[in-house]
Structures are given as C-alpha cells and as structure tokens.
C-alpha cells in the first residue's frame, strides 16, 4: 500500500517537473513561459518531497522532517523570484504576444471623439 | 515497483533538465535565461531528492537545501542587476 502511494507520488512529481520544463521550452513568449515552471515545478518538487517524507518516515527511524525545510523554503521563494523576473522583463520591455490595450495605442482617442474629429 | 517508478522519474527529470538547458542556451532575452537557470536548479533539487530515495540515504537533503538557498539568492541578484544595473546599492 505504502509502496503504491510512494510510486504514484514520485511519478506524478516527476511528470509535473517535466511538464513545467516542457512549457519553458515550448511556449512562445516570456510571460507565458514564466507560467510553466513557477507553478508546475513547485507542485512537482512538492510531490517528490512528500514522497520522500513518507519513505524516510516508513523506515522506522522516527518521523523525518528535513524535507519540510526544503518545501517551506521553495514555496516561500518561488513567488518572489517569479515576481522579480516579471518585473525585470517588464523593465526591459521583453516582446509579448498579447496585443497592447486599445487605450494604450491612442491615448487621445477620448479627447478626439469629443472634439468631433 | 518503487524501483520502476524511480527509474521512470529519473528519465523524466533528466528530460526536464535537458529542456531547461535548451532554453538556457537558446532563450532570446536575458530574463528567459534567468528563468531557465531558476528552473534548472529546481530540477536539480528534484533529482537530488530522487537520488536520496533511490540510495535510501538522507545525506542528500543538505545538498538540496543548500542549492535551494543559493539558487534563490542567485536569481534575485541577477534580477536586481537587470532592474537596477547594480546588485548592492
């Protein structure tokens, strides 16, 4: 029973890690690429770390909680680094596939419509 | 059964490492490369945890913890450099 649970957790974690990197390699612009790894890898590594806690706790040496440190650290730092990366990309004006908003294209559109042009 | 699962997972995580490496080498902009490095170190943590389960040794967690801390510091330093042109102001 424990072995089945461990196997499922390990394979799910590795699959999420792989899909996150696949998103990093295959998506078209930086902002969509940021989405893949920052969510999928923390979920993947999270599942692997839960599997590791179960495995080392089941070996009869008491509850193993080293992994909680790694999990906690990763879960705190992943959003921070994603936020900083997005800020850096916006600062450098990295190319985006999203079209600019309509008002941004013509900031005077309102004034012109009122003046009857 | 656990051995088969661990073998499959080693293959998947190694594939993930290669995909991140590809993005690191190719990535058109600087933030892309930093993101690829970030993913690379998270994948390395996954690989170390898997190795710990495979060899039944809890020695690898210290390495994983160190990589997690140093990787975060590296990502933040690189982002600050891109944002400000300087790391410690």
């Amino acid at each position: 029973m424990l072995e089945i649970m461990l196997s499922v957790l390990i394979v799910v974690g590795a699959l999420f890690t792989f899909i996150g990197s696949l998103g990093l390699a295959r998506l078209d612009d930086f902002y969509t690429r940021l989405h893949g790894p920052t969510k999928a890898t923390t979920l993947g590594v999270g599942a692997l770390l839960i599997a590791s806690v179960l495995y080392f706790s089941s070996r009869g040496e008491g509850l193993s909680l080293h992994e909680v440190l790694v999990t906690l650290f990763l879960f705190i730092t992943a959003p921070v680094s994603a936020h900083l990366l997005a800020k850096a990309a916006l600062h450098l004006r990295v190319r985006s596939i999203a079209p600019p908003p309509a008002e941004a294209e013509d900031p005077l559109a309102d004034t012109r419509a009122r003046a009857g042009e | 059964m656990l051995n088969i699962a661990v073998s499959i997972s080693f293959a998947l995580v190694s594939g993930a490492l290669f995909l991140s490496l590809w993005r690191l080498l190719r990535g058109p902009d600087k933030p892309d490369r930093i993101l690829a490095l970030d993913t690379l170190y998270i994948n390395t943590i996954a690989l170390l945890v898997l190795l710990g389960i495979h060899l039944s040794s809890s020695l690898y967690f210290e390495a994983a913890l160190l990589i997690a801390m140093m990787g975060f510091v590296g990502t933040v330093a690189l982002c600050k450099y891109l944002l400000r042109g300087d790391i410690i102001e």
Side-chain angles (χ1 to χ4, degrees):
Chain A
M1 184 61 203
L2 184 77
E3 205 175 326
I4 294 171
M5 248 166 77
L6 276 177
S7 308
V8 168
L9 273 174
I10 289 174
V11 171
V12 165
L15 208 61
F16 265 108
T17 313
F18 181 74
I19 291 170
S21 289
L22 194 66
L24 176 74
R26 295 294 303 160
L27 290 173
D28 338 315
D29 79 338
F30 175 75
Y31 304 98
T32 49
R33 259 177 238 146
L34 187 58
H35 166 78
T38 50
K39 285 171 191 68
T41 42
T42 45
L43 200 58
V45 176
L48 281 174
L49 286 166
I50 291 170
S52 172
V53 169
L54 282 179
Y55 180 72
F56 285 106
S57 299
S58 73
R59 286 171 70 223
E61 293 163 16
L63 196 59
S64 159
L65 289 174
H66 306 271
E67 296 86 351
V68 176
L69 274 175
V70 185
T71 319
L72 205 67
F73 197 80
L74 270 185
F75 276 40
I76 291 170
T77 57
V80 177
S81 56
H83 174 75
L84 273 171
L85 276 167
K87 255 175 100 174
L90 283 174
H91 180 72
L92 294 177
R93 295 175 193 281
V94 169
R95 186 188 63 86
S96 166
I97 49 169
E103 307 93 63
E105 276 173 358
D106 188 2
L108 298 177
D110 263 4
T111 332
R112 251 186 237 135
R114 232 176 289 137
E117 279 180 29
Chain B
M1 183 162 170
L2 193 62
N3 278 329
I4 300 170
V6 168
S7 306
I8 294 170
S9 307
F10 269 128
L12 283 171
V13 175
S14 308
L17 276 165
F18 273 114
L19 287 171
S20 322
L21 187 66
W22 186 74
R23 179 53 71 193
L24 178 66
L25 295 176
R26 178 146 187 281
D29 303 301
K30 284 176 220 137
D32 280 306
R33 292 181 207 269
I34 301 175
L35 179 62
L37 268 179
D38 196 72
T39 317
L40 212 56
Y41 89 73
I42 290 179
N43 288 349
T44 314
I45 294 169
L47 204 61
L48 276 174
V49 171
L50 269 177
L51 198 65
I53 293 175
H54 182 61
L55 299 178
S56 313
S57 153
S58 56
L59 271 177
Y60 293 92
F61 292 112
E62 278 76 11
L65 193 60
L66 273 177
I67 290 178
M69 291 167 73
M70 294 299 144
F72 174 67
V73 172
T75 307
V76 169
L78 285 168
C79 285
K80 284 297 271 185
Y81 178 69
L82 284 190
L83 275 170
R84 298 278 183 179
D86 204 353
I87 297 172
I88 301 169
E89 292 167 42

